[in-house]
Amino acid sequence: MTSWKITNTKFNPQSGYIRSANYICSAVDGEHSAQVAGDVFFTEPSDDEPASFSVPFGDVTESMVVAWMKESFGEANVKNIEETVEAKLALKVTPIKSSGLPWA
């Protein structure tokens, strides 16, 4: 199972609008772990657009930003990221190749 964490945001200090977020999607199996990190960018609405992300900056929670990020990515991209993390973890748990010298 994967989990999502927001590690930082960049925001407009006047409006409090979050313009981007750094994320990590990770999975753990015992002592093995895998992750994918990246950024998501949000378009700040102009004054003539309806308000979106209208939560005051001080009231924003990590789960809100994760939800906004997933909405921005779309279901297919979220699934792709999660499957990538799970595949990386599976290769660590059950490697299909290794390196080394047989005589060492």
Side-chain angles (χ1 to χ4, degrees):
M1 178 179 192
T2 58
S3 63
W4 293 81
K5 178 158 186 62
I6 302 301
T7 58
N8 197 16
T9 66
K10 292 186 179 163
F11 60 94
N12 178 331
Q14 281 76 40
S15 68
Y17 187 89
I18 295 175
R19 293 180 169 173
S20 68
N22 307 112
Y23 68 86
I24 296 175
C25 179
S26 60
V28 177
D29 184 353
E31 48 187 67
H32 301 283
S33 65
Q35 66 183 23
V36 169
D39 305 304
V40 61
F41 298 91
F42 305 110
T43 302
E44 187 167 1
S46 64
D47 292 338
D48 58 342
E49 293 178 11
S52 78
F53 298 89
S54 59
V55 178
F57 184 79
D59 294 338
V60 173
T61 65
E62 183 176 25
S63 62
M64 288 175 174
V65 178
V66 168
W68 297 336
M69 175 195 64
K70 287 181 175 182
E71 180 181 340
S72 176
F73 282 160
E75 190 175 318
N77 287 328
V78 169
K79 182 178 178 184
N80 183 44
I81 292 168
E82 290 176 344
E83 288 175 348
T84 299
V85 170
E86 290 168 358
K88 288 174 73 171
L89 180 61
L91 287 174
K92 288 184 176 185
V93 172
T94 310
I96 58 172
K97 58 183 171 178
S98 191
S99 62
L101 302 171
W103 57 86

